[in-house]
Amino acid sequence: MKNAIAELDGDEMTRVLWKVIKDELLLPFVDLNTEYYDLGLKNRDDSDDKVTYDSAAAIKRLKVGVKCATITSNQARVEEYNLKQLTPSPNGIIRAELDGTVFREPIFVKNIHGTVSCWKKPIVLGRHAYGDIYKNTEIKTPCAGKAELVFTGEDGTVIRKLIKDMPGPGIIQGIHNLDKSIESFARCCMTYALDRKISVWFGAKDTISKTYDGNFKAIFQRVYEQEFKAKVEEAGIEYGLTLIDDAVARVMRSEGGFMWATKNYDGDVMSDMIASACGSLAMMTSVLVSPDGNFEYEASHGTVQKHYYRYLKGEKTSTNPVATIFAWTGALAKRGELDGTSELTDFAKKLEKATLDTIEAGYMTGDIARIASPAPVAVLNSWEFIAKIREALEAML
Ligand code: NAP
Ligand code: MG
């Protein structure tokens, strides 16, 4: 490895597996060069989250990071870990620092069949993670009355529009978004689609919401025309704007293999649909991409708390490490690509193949054994599964 990647350690069962993955699948084969940040909950609390901000700065400087799942604290965790305070979500901090968008993608293996039979390749879902109903203001109106939308500009401009002369009690809601956030989102989507050489579709409801969704569409189009058109054409991929209903219909009858860029709510709902249609949360990768092309790879599941408590009692749990392995391979392959060290990228691809080959040969963890067809040869615990992957990797190398 020529240059380092930022390594963000985490919590509970995923922290346990993090070390096993490094010891068994990385350190024997790669001169691993990382800048280590301990994002374990206690250390975040002790440092008042400085370690989280430092790790985000490291990702910006090094351009590549890999992150273990972390606990987002709540009152129960404050007591469990004897914390000073309720710390904010580390993913939220890093996402805000990088101004990034999260892309989620299922990992396909032949013997785990999703429920949508025409999907042959993964669908990458990019969710705009700012504004709309997630930052809304709502009123339950008690009686008949006039509902209005009022904007008071810094310069004194006042814009006022009638929502409805309401003949009886009801509900009203105010939502917003910002041009700057939508621009970043469009850039992140196109940057990542180019990186992966896959086409990108953005769907919105601009036929009905001509100003609000119309603004999303106009900004996507402008960012595309001004910054990406030439690169997209050169890469031989497609870029398309469509209605959200049309996007849903196309997705359901597609073969997959493209990026679906969505508004915040659509992404919330549709990412759960794609994840459950593909089998398991532990077979789903997640990458945070900043508009200027920094990449942070992680698993999309959490710290698998229940398994951790069983592990603490001495059980060798059958926790699926695949998404965490793929977080590492994603980061190493990206490092290799940026540094021109093809051996590193090649190693990452081989480790991915060894992992998939192991599952396809019938050796897997309990979560996917339940949905595998044909039935698995053996259901392994995490340590046995990782040892099997290592055998396959060594045979390949
Ligand atoms: P979780 O870690 O995603 O696990 C929920 C359940 O999903 C598990 O109990 C397990 O089901 C199954 N599962 C998830 N990952 C699995 C894997 N790799 N292998 C096998 N089964 C897996 O969610 P959680 O337990 O509700 O949350 C625990 C902590 O994670 C929370 O403190 C939360 O804040 C944090 N979290 C972090 C991130 C992140 O850092 N990106 C994301 C989400 C949640 P069974 O018990 O049925 O086996
Ligand atoms: Mg959701």
Side-chain angles (χ1 to χ4, degrees), residues 104 127 134 264-265 267-273:
R104 294 200 157 174
R127 170 183 172 189
Y134 301 86
N264 209 346
Y265 174 80
D268 182 352
V269 177
M270 292 301 163
S271 64
D272 285 1
M273 181 191 75

Side-chain angles (χ1 to χ4, degrees), residues 17-30 32 321-322 324-326 328-329 332 347-348 350-352 354-355 358 382-394 397:
L17 294 179
W18 192 259
K19 182 164 180 345
V20 184
I21 291 168
K22 281 177 69 179
D23 287 346
E24 296 297 320
L25 301 177
L26 302 174
L27 291 168
F29 308 102
V30 182
L32 204 60
V322 170
T324 305
I325 294 172
F326 272 64
W328 275 102
T329 55
L332 293 179
F347 167 76
K350 285 192 170 130
L351 176 50
E352 288 182 359
T355 305
T358 301
S382 308
W383 290 259
E384 295 164 337
F385 179 58
I386 288 171
K388 268 274 176 209
I389 296 173
R390 181 169 175 172
E391 270 175 36
L393 179 64
E394 279 173 345
L397 293 170

Side-chain angles (χ1 to χ4, degrees), residues 105-124 196 198 250-258 274 277-278 356 360:
E105 176 173 355
I107 300 162
F108 274 35
V109 279
K110 284 194 204 105
N111 43 348
I112 310 292
H113 304 280
T115 48
V116 181
S117 55
C118 60
W119 292 353
K120 306 282 183 242
K121 288 180 258 173
I123 292 166
V124 180
R196 294 289 311 277
I198 52 178
R250 282 179 193 229
V251 162
M252 293 315 292
R253 57 171 194 263
S254 77
E255 275 201 352
F258 56 88
I274 291 176
C278 291
L356 302 183
E360 290 180 351

